[in-house]
Amino acid sequence: MSEEVELVSMFPAPPAFMSLYAEGPDMGPPPPAPLKPTYHSFGTAYATEDAVPDLIGDRKLYPATGCNVKAEMKRINKSLIFSFLELVEVLIANPVKFNEKIDDIELLFLNMHNLINAYRPHQARETLIDMLKQQIDERKEATADIRRVIEESKIVVQAAHTELDNETKFQDTADEPMLPVEETATAATEDETLQSPPVVDTEKLRQNQLEQDRFFVLCQQIIDNIQT
């Protein structure tokens, strides 16, 4: 008995249990366990486990277990070439019997495709590994670029601080009034006598240092986020 086709609307209404989650996804009951081995969605049955369909009976031309896949594929490939040559000979000698050789070639192709499909999970894993390695390399390069920019920024900031200090000292010197020769000599004598250290604006230097530290901490946080 054939399976009855379930008629569904192109735009079906949402399920009735959606009202249980009106106040949030955690307010309603937990979702049920996944169905096995098949489930239905919009009237179509889907398998929960992807499996490569195997050939049945005499249509399978290689051992079921413990076979060398590479050797079997080479053997099938040679058989394909030989079968094609036989097909050409049949078409020349007796074209009426070409269907038998075409069936043989079709069977060989089915077996080769089945062997290839057996490697699809391995191919998917290797592709995923390559993608992850590429992402890791890109993040490492981005991290190295950011570290380089941070080091260059440190040099620029230090140079700016040094230049600012020099300009401040030069401005303070330029703002001092010019003294007569006698007063200048007296002032020089007093300076040598007192030898008082220059006044440094410690509050300004501390603020500049704090701003610089915050900038580098922010850059380090960006690097950590990229690495994670």
Side-chain angles (χ1 to χ4, degrees):
M1 182 178 179
S2 61
E3 185 178 356
E4 295 182 358
V5 179
E6 182 181 356
L7 298 178
V8 295
S9 174
M10 184 178 296
F11 302 101
F17 60 82
M18 67 169 295
S19 59
L20 301 175
Y21 304 92
E23 298 181 0
D26 298 330
M27 301 304 295
L35 299 177
K36 292 184 178 181
T38 59
Y39 66 95
H40 289 76
S41 177
F42 297 102
T44 304
Y46 296 93
T48 57
E49 297 180 357
D50 295 332
V52 178
D54 200 0
L55 298 175
I56 302 174
D58 297 337
R59 297 180 64 83
K60 192 170 186 178
L61 303 179
Y62 55 89
T65 57
C67 68
N68 188 343
V69 178
K70 291 183 179 180
E72 293 296 331
M73 292 184 69
K74 289 180 180 179
R75 183 178 63 83
I76 294 175
N77 189 38
K78 292 179 181 179
S79 299
L80 278 171
I81 298 174
F82 182 73
S83 298
F84 179 76
L85 294 176
E86 287 185 341
L87 175 62
V88 174
E89 292 179 358
V90 169
L91 290 175
I92 295 174
N94 190 2
V96 180
K97 298 183 179 180
F98 75 95
N99 286 328
E100 182 179 353
K101 291 300 177 182
I102 289 180
D103 292 339
D104 293 341
I105 293 175
E106 181 181 0
L107 180 60
L108 291 172
F109 272 117
L110 286 175
N111 280 267
M112 180 171 285
H113 277 277
N114 200 66
L115 287 172
I116 293 173
N117 290 334
Y119 270 92
R120 294 301 182 189
H122 175 72
Q123 179 187 9
R125 287 193 297 270
E126 293 298 325
T127 303
L128 180 60
I129 290 172
D130 290 338
M131 291 174 60
L132 292 176
K133 288 182 178 179
Q134 183 178 1
Q135 292 180 4
I136 291 173
D137 293 338
E138 291 176 354
R139 291 188 177 187
K140 286 182 178 179
E141 292 178 0
T143 304
D145 292 339
I146 293 177
R147 291 184 185 277
R148 177 180 55 80
V149 172
I150 290 176
E151 295 299 328
E152 293 177 356
S153 302
K154 286 182 179 180
I155 296 174
V156 173
V157 170
Q158 293 291 347
H161 283 315
T162 304
E163 185 177 357
L164 181 61
D165 293 339
N166 294 334
E167 290 180 356
T168 304
K169 292 178 181 179
F170 178 77
Q171 187 67 28
D172 294 340
T173 305
D175 292 340
E176 293 180 357
M178 297 296 294
L179 299 176
V181 178
E182 295 179 357
E183 294 181 1
T184 303
T186 305
T189 305
E190 292 177 355
D191 291 339
E192 292 177 358
T193 305
L194 296 176
Q195 293 182 354
S196 59
V199 179
V200 179
D201 191 354
T202 56
E203 183 65 23
K204 181 178 179 181
L205 293 177
R206 189 177 65 83
Q207 291 180 357
N208 292 336
Q209 187 65 33
L210 289 176
E211 292 178 358
Q212 181 180 353
D213 293 340
R214 283 196 294 268
F215 172 75
F216 292 134
V217 168
L218 179 61
C219 294
Q220 188 63 40
Q221 290 177 354
I222 295 174
I223 293 176
D224 295 338
N225 292 332
I226 292 176
Q227 290 178 342
T228 56

